[in-house]
Amino acid sequence: MQQMKRLLDVYVALQALFALSCCFSDAEPGPVAGSQSNGDRFRIEGRAIVPGVKTQDWISTARILVEGEEYVGFLKTDGSFAVNDVPSGSYVVEIVSPSFRFDPVRVDITSKGKMRARLVNYIKTSEVIRQPYPLQIRSSGPHTYFMKRETWGWTDFLMNPMVMMMVLPLLIIVLLPKVVNTNDPEMRKEMEQSMNMLNPNPELPDVSEFMTKLFSKGSSKSSGGNKGTRSIAPKRR
Amino acid sequence: MAWLVVRLAISMSLLYTASAVFEDQVGKFDWRQQFIGKVRFALFDTHSQASKKLLLATDKNVFASLNSRTGDLFWRHVDKTGPEGHIDALLMYGQDAVVVVGNGRLLRSWETTVGGLKWETVLDTGSFQAAALVGVQDFVKYVAVLKKSAISLHDLSSGSEIWVENLPDSDSVQYQTIYSGGNGLVLVLGVVPNSHIVIVEYKIEDGEIMNKKSVEAAWMSSLESSCAVVSSGILLCVDQITQSLYTLPLQSAEQTEMRQIHLQTLDLEVVSGFRPVLTSTQPNPAQPPLSEFFLQLSPDHHILLQFKDGLIAPLRDFNPAYLAAFATSGERTVAAVMSPKNDTACSINLFSADTGRRHLDTTIIYHMDPNGGKPNRLYVHAFLKKDDSVGYRVMVQTEDLALTFLQQPGRVVWMREEALADVVTMEMVDLPFTGTQAELEGEFGKKAAIQDGLLPMVLKRLSSQFILLQAWLAHLWKLFYDARKPRSSVKNEVTIDVLSRDEFNLQKMMLMVTASGKLFGIDSKSGTILWKQYLENIQPNSVFKLIVQRTTAHFPHPPQCTLLIKNKDTGLGSLYVFNPIFGKKSQISVPALPRPILQTLLLPVIDQDYAKVLLLIDDQYKVTAFPSTKNVLQQLQDTASSIFFYLVDSSQGKLSGFRLRKDLSTELIWEVVIPTEVQKIVAVKGKRANEHVHSQGRVMGDRSVLYKYLNPNLLAVITESTDTHQERSFVGIILIDGVTGRIVHEAVQRKARGPVHFVHSENWVVYVYWNSKFRRNEFSVLELFEGAELYNSTVFSSLDRPHPPQVLQQSYIFPAPINTLEATLTEKGITSRHLLVGLPSGNILSLPKLFLDPRRPEMVSEQSREENLIPYAPEMPIREEWFINYNQTVSRVRGIYTAPSGLESTCLVVAYGLDIYQSRVFPSKQFDVLKDDYDYILISSVLFGLFFATMISKRLAEVKLLNRAWR
């Protein structure tokens, strides 16, 4: 909660900043709808576009929702819409369609009926990134409701790290002796050097050793005394 | 181990973030049914013969087009709820349907083939009276809308206003109807009750008043209900007091008073107390109405009359007849009349309107549902057959909102149960075992083991195994038999007889209670309605509470459900007890409830028949037990001191707790008053009784345990401020212990208002409110912890908890409006929880509870990573993959019901609103069953491959060894 408050404080400050920078006549576009008593009602207009799809294929299932279901509008056969009887205030206008995705737009209506549209930003609520008004809402494509099933293919199998870890050393073991001439003394020397490099740090405890130690400890408990550990002790370097 | 499972579940859910639907799962275990509500207007598209369209406008503010051959929706438009979306009138001409919405506020024209809006006009304010199509010279060009004080004429093709005129003397005259006979005039009829009728003639072109006259009619109180226009502009009225019909030519200058025709002269009589109804028909708005009309004299007496040359002649008397309706096809107008045939069936016959003669071979038999209501509306679709005779189909609407579409000779083409558009409450009940399953269960019963010896037990065992084998073989045979048949002919008909519990208890019986008082039993797997029961005499403002008293687990006792029906105004209630599987009313005697019921309480105490005891508390704090056998009363006396209950009085802002006494009276223990001047109690919720919490605490990053505060008696009380000003409004939440009345926690959200949706479960409360300052929805989560140590780990007692819990809270922004909120529920509570959020768009979002965790850190640390805590982000994500119902949106989702299934991973979900959607969710993926896409082929091919590889290599090794030995 505290985090939230802190964030909010930041946003309040931001909001003040925006109020200064914004020359829109109603910088605080939040006259609550309920406090209006003059009963002026306005109309939100716009057009929805789904690129490449005929309007009659999708408009019958789509609706315009203003601030949830507070005001509802329907689409005309040409894709345009109008939501009537909306009092002044600030509203999120959303086109809801089960098949296509539309981004919501915030529409501010002043008490005089002046309108503007801007991007919805729930965090910086007073940030103004203007959108065209009358609204032009373009669908960003069909909804992606479904997860992709993981399909099985040979490439997936081969690219599996486990498979690669098994196959590559095999190739090296089989192919390397044939490629490299082991009789060459210079080469042999080089290889020996690299083998030394590969050898682990003698200070580092070995995993296998650790395991044996662990298990022998367990068994030693039953046998009584620490014979097991002692027997391993000489192995330790 | 349990910890491991939980951690596993959490990490799994983190990996995949949430359950989602795969495309191949569509329709596999989910279904949706769409409804429209109670039909107010229905029009058949008679524009062309082949048209299948049926346009419907309903009381749920839905305007829809139905396929009249199948009953499926072509399209449906759901308007705003409440009076602003109310559909006042529906008119149709050609391809266009004109709708008046919101008490005459909007005039809309719909293109009916596509389902798109053609135009929409805003009309002036004023209460709507009537609307009519207006034709000129056989063409319908305009629509006229009559308001209380004005009339306006609109162009039908563009919606533009031609003219609007104020009505003369509109403050004294009640204008109620419009009439236009296609002669260039629009007539507006008004009445001054018990004085006179006013008729105003307007010219279509410019709205000029051509003529205005008033006619004496001292007996008339309302035009609408008792008058009709017949023939070429004759106003016909009926009055039950003077027992006579009155006629008046609307456009004649000579006649200045109504002509009275006594019903006695026609040998007719109105039944006392019944308001007679006149029905006329105007097939074409550009032409005057027909001269034939129906007169209804009593609820089951109709008569077809004809007006000719100023005289009224009866054409045919229909006695008894429930319903009568006109229909027109081309130039022929017919009348369909429904008459009772016997107790269970009605017959519908077709008569030619102009002669009253019966058409031969036109009888449709309508069988009334014995569990349904009476038919109350008849809609007729007439069409011309190839041999030029008139054929027809009818749609019958009954009191219980069922729509039945019939064709000759009585075949039900389709049926819709529109009562399901308004589900009030629901429950899910396990299906019973089949006979064989029950028998097997019986074998291990206690009684059997004591009575029988060893040998009979063995024999019994063998016989039951044999029965199982038989059943399995029969099943195999059926599979084989079905496989031979083409797929289309295999019908998966679900009936009550074949229903039985499946092995994972995924299929259940859904009990739905609708506002109209109709109960439904629906199979959760297919959505088939298995039984329905209409309860008559249910007041429209009743509230319902459904209680499952005995589940199917107590064979051979039948399961038992109790429905408490309470009148909202008087508070008087009644009980209806029934069997949830078969829908039959139970014979158990029900206690009479003479006093208003305040609270019900389902106790875990069971009577000798395994029914849970229901306590009903009336307004004098007296307790009635149901069932109230001696056994129950004895048990209640023993446990009375530990039975507590609470009452909420939101009008006085009072919460009070009571304890049961041995004599079934009660004593007040605590009382909390929330001053109503400041805030009002909006909702009170406890935890769900069937909820299981698997883990007592949470493992922290440093391996210590943070124990949850799991108080089963905790109540979450939501309050809202009475001051609704943006700056001063607030939402409060109070957590109260229901036994002691101790306030455990209190939180206030300033600059916030409702509607508040909340879920109270386990040790957390999640609530959503509207932040009026930033104009967005916010989620807030409260979690209660005991701390690092449990005070008393064996049993929780509200009376002995000295330490207040630690409360953590965090809030988030939710970037969408919310309709309803519910949490998933699983059998053992091991699976991680999700919140199911119903959105106004109709989608149901499955939001992982992981995102609503007050311990989400601002800064990521090693420990928080260990705990799988997501770093705090103010905005909650909404992903389309989380919509469990993909494009199967649920309009106006009002409630979500969750029920556990036999599988721990699976939770059954039913969302209801205007539509009903049933599905399953897997909050932690399906960890206890093989996945749908489990690759059987791959795994078996790998197995076989390995097997053969070992065989071959073994053989090769042998050969090699042999060769080496020989060397």
Side-chain angles (χ1 to χ4, degrees):
Chain A
M1 193 56 218
Q2 269 198 343
Q3 297 157 342
M4 183 82 184
K5 259 188 191 153
R6 200 175 308 159
L7 279 167
L8 290 188
D9 285 346
V10 173
Y11 300 139
V12 169
L14 276 170
Q15 191 184 16
L17 220 142
F18 274 109
L20 279 173
S21 65
C22 183
C23 54
F24 192 73
S25 59
D26 191 6
E28 184 64 69
V32 179
S35 66
Q36 291 267 320
S37 55
N38 54 359
D40 271 348
R41 298 293 181 113
F42 307 102
R43 166 203 295 249
I44 299 171
E45 285 174 315
R47 177 184 289 274
I49 304 143
V50 182
V53 181
K54 280 187 203 153
T55 47
Q56 63 252 43
D57 294 342
W58 63 275
I59 50 162
S60 64
T61 52
R63 283 202 294 169
I64 323 298
L65 299 186
V66 178
E67 211 64 62
E69 256 177 328
E70 213 143 311
Y71 305 97
V72 177
F74 299 101
L75 283 149
K76 286 187 189 163
T77 40
D78 60 350
S80 64
F81 62 86
V83 184
N84 289 300
D85 273 353
V86 182
S88 62
S90 174
Y91 305 94
V92 175
V93 178
E94 209 175 347
I95 300 177
V96 174
S97 156
S99 10
F100 297 100
R101 189 195 310 132
F102 295 91
D103 291 328
V105 177
R106 187 175 279 281
V107 173
D108 301 325
I109 310 171
T110 63
S111 51
K112 293 188 189 76
K114 212 173 164 188
M115 305 235 188
R116 71 167 178 193
R118 57 190 169 112
L119 275 186
V120 176
N121 189 338
Y122 284 108
I123 298 179
K124 300 173 192 171
T125 45
S126 54
E127 187 189 51
V128 179
I129 299 172
R130 285 273 194 148
Q131 295 284 97
Y133 188 88
L135 302 169
Q136 294 282 328
I137 304 177
R138 192 173 274 274
S139 165
S140 51
H143 285 293
T144 48
Y145 291 120
F146 302 112
M147 300 267 282
K148 275 261 156 55
R149 277 261 190 233
E150 285 169 32
T151 49
W152 192 84
W154 282 105
T155 47
D156 296 338
F157 179 71
L158 288 177
M159 286 307 177
N160 192 330
M162 294 298 276
V163 173
M164 279 167 89
M165 264 163 68
M166 275 166 68
V167 170
L168 277 178
L170 204 81
L171 283 178
I172 291 165
I173 289 163
V174 175
L175 293 180
L176 215 62
K178 289 183 182 169
V179 175
V180 185
N181 190 358
T182 40
N183 292 339
D184 186 6
E186 218 173 284
M187 196 69 178
R188 187 173 284 183
K189 204 175 175 185
E190 204 175 299
M191 275 181 78
E192 249 164 37
Q193 245 174 20
S194 65
M195 286 306 266
N196 277 346
M197 286 272 283
L198 275 175
N199 250 7
N201 192 350
E203 295 299 309
L204 220 67
D206 197 22
V207 180
S208 56
E209 200 180 304
F210 176 75
M211 292 304 267
T212 38
K213 197 177 130 195
L214 197 82
F215 283 111
S216 58
K217 216 179 206 169
S219 63
S220 69
K221 254 181 204 164
S222 57
S223 65
N226 43 3
K227 213 167 83 189
T229 35
R230 214 183 296 149
S231 66
I232 289 168
K235 275 188 186 170
R236 209 176 234 170
R237 264 165 276 174
Chain B
M1 186 59 204
W3 290 110
L4 206 121
V5 174
V6 171
R7 289 180 63 84
L8 200 87
I10 288 172
S11 59
M12 276 169 84
S13 65
L14 243 194
L15 264 176
Y16 302 103
T17 334
S19 66
V21 186
F22 295 105
E23 199 155 4
D24 51 82
Q25 287 180 324
V26 165
K28 217 167 167 186
F29 46 74
D30 65 326
W31 50 264
R32 176 180 68 166
Q33 288 176 4
Q34 290 185 304
F35 299 97
I36 49 176
K38 181 186 179 180
V39 173
R40 294 189 63 235
F41 306 102
L43 292 175
F44 288 95
D45 182 10
T46 49
H47 185 62
S48 73
Q49 285 289 327
S51 176
K52 298 177 199 163
K53 267 185 306 234
L54 163 61
L55 294 175
L56 299 164
T58 71
D59 68 337
K60 293 259 171 261
N61 304 351
V62 174
F63 179 50
S65 171
L66 238 65
N67 184 337
S68 64
R69 307 284 153 82
T70 62
D72 298 332
L73 286 170
F74 279 128
W75 47 260
R76 179 183 71 171
H77 288 292
V78 181
D79 207 342
K80 210 176 147 173
T81 49
E84 283 171 68
H86 186 258
I87 297 174
D88 301 314
L90 168 66
L91 307 164
M92 191 175 172
Y93 186 73
Q95 289 293 307
D96 303 334
V98 179
V99 176
V100 184
V101 179
N103 202 3
R105 180 66 180 161
L106 294 169
L107 190 64
R108 285 188 184 133
S109 172
W110 294 93
E111 155 65 39
T112 54
T113 44
V114 177
L117 197 61
K118 243 180 121 185
W119 48 260
E120 183 181 80
T121 355
V122 186
L123 305 180
D124 293 333
T125 49
S127 72
F128 172 81
Q129 297 296 331
L133 293 170
V134 178
V136 187
Q137 289 154 357
D138 282 0
F139 283 105
V140 179
K141 277 188 186 162
Y142 310 106
V143 55
V145 180
L146 179 71
K147 296 282 193 85
K148 197 175 183 314
S149 59
I151 176 171
S152 58
L153 195 74
H154 299 264
D155 189 87
L156 205 55
S157 56
S158 69
S160 57
E161 190 179 274
I162 311 281
W163 49 262
V164 55
E165 291 293 326
N166 282 329
L167 295 164
D169 313 321
S170 62
D171 42 353
S172 60
V173 184
Q174 296 173 11
Y175 291 97
Q176 285 169 337
T177 30
I178 308 180
Y179 165 71
S180 161
N183 52 359
L185 291 172
V186 178
L187 274 71
V188 175
L189 311 182
V191 64
V192 178
N194 304 321
S195 170
H196 59 273
I197 301 174
V198 178
I199 300 160
V200 190
E201 290 177 22
Y202 287 94
K203 212 167 133 188
I204 286 178
E205 285 77 28
D206 51 6
E208 188 190 336
I209 294 180
M210 300 299 286
N211 193 3
K212 182 177 176 268
K213 64 176 176 182
S214 62
V215 179
E216 285 293 316
W219 45 271
M220 185 180 281
S221 57
S222 167
L223 268 170
E224 231 172 333
S225 54
S226 57
C227 291
V229 179
V230 295
S231 194
S232 48
I234 310 292
L235 181 69
L236 193 72
C237 295
V238 63
D239 178 44
Q240 79 260 41
I241 296 158
T242 53
Q243 293 271 351
S244 38
L245 285 165
Y246 294 86
T247 61
L248 174 76
L250 288 170
Q251 279 163 292
S252 83
E254 307 97 71
Q255 199 177 337
T256 51
E257 65 178 41
M258 298 192 88
R259 214 158 59 90
Q260 188 177 12
I261 302 167
H262 280 283
L263 283 172
Q264 274 172 345
T265 59
L266 299 165
D267 281 342
L268 298 174
E269 195 186 358
V270 180
V271 175
S272 64
F274 182 78
R275 224 190 150 85
V277 181
L278 281 168
T279 317
S280 66
T281 179
Q282 187 174 11
N284 186 348
Q287 279 168 3
L290 296 185
S291 51
E292 291 80 22
F293 58 94
F294 271 112
L295 174 62
Q296 188 182 6
L297 296 165
S298 79
D300 54 1
H301 185 193
H302 286 76
I303 183 159
L304 183 67
L305 298 151
Q306 190 179 39
F307 181 88
K308 211 170 188 180
D309 310 326
L311 291 170
I312 290 170
L315 288 177
R316 196 175 181 115
D317 195 357
F318 302 102
N319 192 10
Y322 291 141
L323 300 164
F326 285 110
T328 304
S329 175
E331 296 294 303
R332 315 256 296 264
T333 299
V334 288
V337 179
M338 179 190 267
S339 327
K341 193 160 180 269
N342 51 39
D343 285 348
T344 59
C346 289
S347 66
I348 303 162
N349 283 296
L350 207 60
F351 300 87
S352 77
D354 46 0
T355 59
R357 227 185 325 218
R358 195 167 88 94
H359 286 226
L360 289 173
D361 301 328
T362 54
T363 310
I364 290 179
I365 305 292
Y366 169 71
H367 291 278
M368 285 191 283
D369 185 358
N371 301 327
K374 289 193 187 75
N376 62 1
R377 290 289 283 278
L378 185 68
Y379 302 97
V380 184
H381 180 211
F383 53 89
L384 288 175
K385 288 186 193 164
K386 280 184 188 128
D387 59 352
D388 209 38
S389 63
V390 180
Y392 74 122
R393 301 185 187 95
V394 288
M395 185 170 80
V396 182
Q397 184 178 19
T398 53
E399 284 171 337
D400 54 334
L401 312 186
L403 290 179
T404 317
F405 195 77
L406 300 136
Q407 72 178 35
Q408 284 174 325
R411 192 170 76 84
V412 175
V413 184
W414 50 262
M415 194 166 176
R416 292 179 69 90
E417 287 290 351
E418 290 306 334
L420 284 171
D422 203 349
V423 174
V424 183
T425 178
M426 69 165 291
E427 282 289 342
M428 267 186 169
V429 181
D430 295 347
L431 287 173
F433 293 116
T434 55
T436 46
Q437 278 171 318
E439 207 162 301
L440 292 183
E441 290 279 307
E443 188 196 342
F444 304 107
K446 280 178 203 158
K447 280 179 193 166
I450 296 161
Q451 283 167 6
D452 300 342
L454 189 68
L455 194 68
M457 283 288 278
V458 172
L459 285 178
K460 216 179 210 179
R461 174 84 252 181
L462 284 176
S463 71
S464 60
Q465 290 289 356
F466 181 70
I467 290 166
L468 269 185
L469 186 76
Q470 238 177 348
W472 187 64
L473 284 176
H475 176 70
L476 279 187
W477 171 246
K478 193 173 173 287
L479 274 184
F480 175 69
Y481 197 72
D482 284 351
R484 275 169 42 196
K485 278 195 272 183
R487 183 157 286 195
S488 57
S489 71
V490 180
K491 266 189 196 165
N492 287 320
E493 287 217 345
V494 188
T495 54
I496 294 174
D497 309 323
V498 300
L499 268 189
S500 67
R501 196 183 297 187
D502 58 334
E503 50 189 330
F504 294 130
N505 200 6
L506 289 166
Q507 189 177 6
K508 296 200 181 193
M509 177 69 90
M510 289 161 57
L511 301 180
M512 295 198 133
V513 182
T514 62
S516 60
K518 198 169 185 183
L519 309 182
F520 290 89
I522 299 173
D523 169 33
S524 78
K525 197 177 181 185
S526 59
T528 323
I529 295 170
L530 295 173
W531 58 264
K532 47 200 170 192
Q533 180 70 48
Y534 179 57
L535 307 179
E536 275 166 70
N537 308 323
I538 297 283
Q539 305 295 319
N541 57 349
S542 297
V543 282
F544 300 91
K545 185 163 183 175
L546 187 59
I547 300 136
V548 182
Q549 278 197 293
R550 182 165 55 219
T551 62
T552 37
H554 305 286
F555 187 82
H557 295 289
Q560 182 182 325
C561 276
T562 302
L563 181 70
L564 173 68
I565 307 150
K566 194 173 126 178
N567 190 315
K568 218 179 213 167
D569 297 334
T570 60
L572 289 172
S574 60
L575 292 175
Y576 178 79
V577 186
F578 62 101
N579 179 333
I581 303 298
F582 299 101
K584 299 236 168 59
K585 190 176 177 184
S586 177
Q587 299 303 319
I588 293 171
S589 63
V590 170
L593 305 170
R595 300 213 60 87
I597 298 297
L598 296 181
Q599 173 76 289
T600 57
L601 203 61
L602 188 68
L603 297 181
V605 176
I606 51 170
D607 72 347
Q608 68 271 32
D609 291 336
Y610 304 100
K612 283 185 184 164
V613 175
L614 182 71
L615 292 189
L616 302 151
I617 295 111
D618 64 21
D619 64 342
Q620 289 182 330
Y621 312 116
K622 285 275 188 306
V623 173
T624 314
F626 171 70
S628 57
T629 54
K630 237 178 206 165
N631 177 307
V632 170
L633 294 177
Q634 183 60 43
Q635 284 190 59
L636 280 180
Q637 274 193 11
D638 297 344
T639 52
S641 59
S642 62
I643 295 172
F644 297 84
F645 60 91
Y646 67 94
L647 295 176
V648 185
D649 185 350
S650 59
S651 62
Q652 289 176 29
K654 206 162 68 179
L655 276 163
S656 36
F658 292 84
R659 179 159 71 176
L660 198 67
R661 283 210 199 116
K662 283 201 192 310
D663 58 342
L664 293 191
S665 63
T666 55
E667 60 181 320
L668 183 75
I669 300 181
W670 56 268
E671 199 167 51
V672 173
V673 178
I674 293 158
T676 45
E677 305 88 67
V678 184
Q679 53 189 339
K680 58 177 187 291
I681 299 170
V682 183
V684 179
K685 249 190 219 174
K687 287 173 192 173
R688 283 179 70 165
N690 57 347
E691 174 183 280
H692 290 275
V693 182
H694 185 264
S695 47
Q696 290 283 309
R698 288 185 56 168
V699 182
M700 315 278 284
D702 58 359
R703 295 287 183 274
S704 64
V705 177
L706 189 61
Y707 286 99
K708 294 173 181 172
Y709 178 78
L710 296 169
N711 184 348
N713 311 319
L714 197 66
L715 302 173
V717 182
I718 299 283
T719 61
E720 275 178 41
S721 63
T722 42
D723 190 348
T724 52
H725 188 270
Q726 183 196 355
E727 289 293 315
R728 293 186 296 270
S729 66
F730 65 88
V731 165
I733 180 163
I734 305 166
L735 300 179
I736 280 188
D737 190 299
V739 171
T740 59
R742 185 159 79 155
I743 293 177
V744 175
H745 184 70
E746 205 171 348
V748 166
Q749 234 74 37
R750 291 193 193 287
K751 290 175 187 165
R753 62 172 168 85
V756 180
H757 304 280
F758 69 114
V759 176
H760 181 196
S761 176
E762 277 187 55
N763 65 328
W764 47 265
V765 182
V766 170
Y767 58 104
V768 194
Y769 52 88
W770 173 257
N771 184 327
S772 48
K773 185 175 179 192
F774 292 106
R775 292 184 304 270
R776 64 191 178 200
N777 277 298
E778 285 178 8
F779 259 111
S780 196
V781 56
L782 276 171
E783 275 195 27
L784 289 90
F785 292 100
E786 292 230 340
E789 274 173 38
L790 266 183
Y791 176 70
N792 180 352
S793 58
T794 47
V795 68
F796 188 97
S797 167
S798 288
L799 302 167
D800 181 29
R801 283 278 134 166
H803 311 298
Q806 300 170 9
V807 183
L808 300 174
Q809 186 168 16
Q810 220 169 43
S811 299
Y812 317 88
I813 300 163
F814 190 72
I818 283 174
N819 272 10
T820 183
L821 194 67
E822 188 54 75
T824 60
L825 197 67
T826 52
E827 180 87 30
K828 294 272 181 286
I830 298 169
T831 311
S832 60
R833 307 290 294 270
H834 275 203
L835 288 172
L836 299 169
V837 188
L839 305 176
S841 63
N843 287 114
I844 294 153
L845 179 78
S846 179
L847 186 70
K849 170 72 179 50
L850 227 61
F851 282 93
L852 291 153
D853 186 342
R855 300 186 60 251
R856 282 174 69 177
E858 219 167 329
M859 307 295 278
V860 185
S861 69
E862 193 61 38
Q863 290 200 356
S864 71
R865 207 175 291 139
E866 183 88 354
E867 264 186 85
N868 280 331
L869 292 174
I870 309 163
Y872 181 79
E875 194 169 334
M876 198 76 82
I878 294 183
R879 291 193 205 150
E880 284 171 350
E881 293 96 44
W882 293 354
F883 292 148
I884 59 166
N885 58 342
Y886 46 106
N887 66 356
Q888 304 289 299
T889 52
V890 185
S891 281
R892 288 195 198 136
V893 51
R894 205 171 43 241
I896 297 173
Y897 179 86
T898 52
S901 73
L903 277 178
E904 171 55 32
S905 66
T906 310
C907 168
L908 305 176
V909 175
V910 182
Y912 54 88
L914 192 60
D915 305 336
I916 296 171
Y917 178 77
Q918 190 276 143
S919 186
R920 300 172 192 165
V921 288
F922 319 102
S924 302
K925 292 254 154 183
Q926 287 175 284
F927 61 81
D928 48 5
V929 277
L930 285 182
K931 277 191 285 183
D932 281 345
D933 61 342
Y934 187 76
D935 211 333
Y936 295 95
I937 297 162
L938 181 76
I939 204 102
S940 46
S941 63
V942 165
L943 265 177
F944 278 111
L946 281 174
F947 178 70
F948 284 118
T950 34
M951 294 290 277
I952 291 162
S953 55
K954 193 183 170 191
R955 176 87 192 126
L956 287 176
E958 271 173 12
V959 169
K960 204 175 174 184
L961 272 176
L962 193 67
N963 286 344
R964 198 180 283 169
W966 275 107
R967 203 175 284 165

